[in-house]
Amino acid sequence: MKTSTSSGLLRGAFILGAAAILSKLIGTLQKIPLQNIGGDGVFGIYTTVYSFYAFLAVFVTAALPAAISKHVAERLAGADEHGVRNVLRAGLLAGCFAGFVMALGMWSLAPLLSGWIGSEHTLVPLRAIAIALLVVPPMAALRGFFQGQQQALPTAVSQVAEQIVRVGVMIALLLTLNAAGASDERIAAGAALGSFAGGLAGLVVMLVFWQRYRRNRKAGRPKGIAEVPPSGGLTANPAYRLEPSADPEGGSVGRWIKTLMIYAVPVFIGSLSQPLLGLVDTLTVPRMLQNGGWGDLAAMEQFGVYNRGIPIVQLVFMLATSLSTLLLPAIAEAKARGEEGRIAMSASVALRWLWLLGLTAAGGLAVLAGPVNVMLYADAQGTEALRWTALSAAGGTLGIVSAALLQGMGAVRAPALFLLVSAALKLVLNLLLVPQMGIAGAALAGAVSYMVAALLGVLMLARLTGLRANGRRTLLQPLLLAGLTALAAYAARLLTDGILTAAGLGGRTGALLTSAAGVSVGLLAFAAALVYTRAVSDAELSALPGGAKLAALARGLRRET
C-alpha cells in the first residue's frame, strides 16, 4: 500500500507540476508583451500594484485552500461525509468574506497606498486589480476541496484556464489602450483587469468539476470523493481508514470557520515569503531610486527593469508551490497514523527533488542571464540584477518545500517566524545595498533573504525528522549536479556566441539561438547526470507516469557505458 500511495502522490504531483509549468509559461508570456508594447514604465507600474494583490491573495489562494485540503483529507480518512461538507461550506464562506473585505479595503485605501509607494501613477491600477479579489476566493476553496481528496486534475485545468483567459484579456486591453494613446497608468490598469477575468474563468472551471462531483455522488460513486485516485487514495482501502473524529464543538459551519482560521492564518504568514519580499521591494526600491536622483516615472521604469527576472523565477516557484500543496494532505495523513518513517522518507525525497530543481534553474538562468534578457526584453538593461534574481530560485524553492513539509507536520508557526526573519533581512539589505548597487543590490538582497529562510526551515526539519542522516544525498548531491548543468550551459553559450559573432548574427535572434543552445545542452547534461549518478532512484522514476519505461531506459544506458 505504501508504494501505491507514493505512486499516486507522484502522479498527482506530476499533473500539478505540468499544469504549473504550462500556466506559468503563459503568465511569463504575459509579462513579455506587457514590457515590449507598454515599455518599462507600464511594466514597473503593473508589477508595483500586483505586489499588493499578490500579498493579499495569498490568504485565499494558498492558506485557506491548504487548511481546507488538510481537514478534508482527515474527514475522508475518517469516513466523515458530514464533516467534509461542513469544511467546504466554512471555507467558501470564510474565503468570500475575506475576499470582499480585502477588495473593499484595497479600493478604498488606494490613495494611501499610492502615497506609500511614492508614485501617483499607481492609483488607478491599484483599484483595477482590487476587484479580482472578489472572484478568486470561491475558486481557491474548491481547489482545496479537491486537493484534499488527492485529486489534482481540477486544480490543474483551472490553473491553465485562469492563465489563458487572464493573458488573453490583458493583451487585448494592452493593444487597444496602447493604440488609443492611453497613459502608462491607464494601460497598466487595463493589464490589471486581466486578473479579474482570469479568476472568473478559473472559478467557472471549478464549478463545472463541482457539478460533476455532485452528479457522481447521486449516481452512487463513493461518498466524499469524486473518483477513486489511482493510488487507491485515502478512502479506497478500508484498512487505512481512521476512526471519525468529532467535529469541532458540534460541527457547525461557524465552528469550522474558526478551526480553518486557526490553521490558515499561520499558513498564510508562512506562505508570504515571495509576496512579502515583493512588498518590501515595492515600498522601498522606488522611493530609494527617487532619493538617488530618479524622477517618479523614471523610478517606475527602473523598477520595471528590476522585475524582468521575476516572471522566470516565479515559474520555478509556482512549480514548487504546486508540488508542495500535494504534500500537505499526504503528510497530515502519515502524521495521523503515526508513520514517522514515512514522514522522514517523504521529507527527504521532496527536499532533494525541489532543491535540485531550484539549484539547477538558478544556475542555468544565472549563466544565461545576458542572452535571456535580450531575447525577452530586446535590450541588456538590468542583466546584473537579473543574474542575482536568478539565484533566488535556489533558496526560494527550498523554502517553499520546507515550509509545506513543516505545515503538514503541524509546525505551522515555524515558517511564519522564518518569513519574518527573511523580510526583516530583506529590508535591511535593501537599505544597505540599493544606494550602492541600484536595482542589482535589491536583487542580491532577495537571493540572500530567500536562502536564509530556507536554511532555517531545513534545520527545523532535520530536528523533527532526523534528516541529518540523509543530508549528503539530500543537499550536497543536487549542488554538484546543478553545478555541472550550469557549466555545460555556460560552455554552450560561449561556443554559440563565437559562432554567431563570426556569422554576423546578433540582436534578439542571436540571443534566442544562444539561449536555446544553452538550455538544450544544460538539459542534456542534467539528464545524463541524473542517470549516471543515480540521484533519482529507479523506484522514484517508476512512480512517475510512464516511469517504468524511464527506469528501464536509465538501466540500459548505465549498462551500455
Side-chain angles (χ1 to χ4, degrees), residues 444-460:
L444 173 57
V448 173
S449 301
Y450 277 122
M451 185 57 70
V452 168
L455 292 177
L456 291 172
V458 171
L459 289 174
M460 174 66 76

Side-chain angles (χ1 to χ4, degrees), residues 357-433:
L357 168 70
L359 276 174
T360 304
L365 180 56
V367 300
L368 297 174
V372 166
N373 197 12
V374 175
M375 175 186 71
L376 296 179
Y377 302 109
D379 60 53
Q381 284 191 81
T383 295
E384 183 183 1
L386 195 154
R387 186 172 290 113
W388 286 118
T389 300
L391 298 183
S392 299
T397 300
L398 189 60
I400 288 169
V401 66
S402 61
L405 290 168
L406 288 170
Q407 290 160 9
M409 296 171 64
V412 294
R413 291 182 178 87
L417 176 61
F418 303 155
L419 164 70
L420 294 177
V421 172
S422 177
L425 180 60
K426 172 65 169 166
L427 176 60
V428 171
L429 290 176
N430 270 4
L431 295 175
L432 292 174
L433 298 177

Side-chain angles (χ1 to χ4, degrees), residues 19 43 54 78 147 167 241 247 270 278 296 330 349 360 372 389-390 440 466 483 535 549:
F43 191 45
Q147 286 169 8
V167 172
R241 292 187 187 275
D247 285 347
D296 182 347
V349 171
T360 304
V372 166
T389 300
K549 294 181 179 179

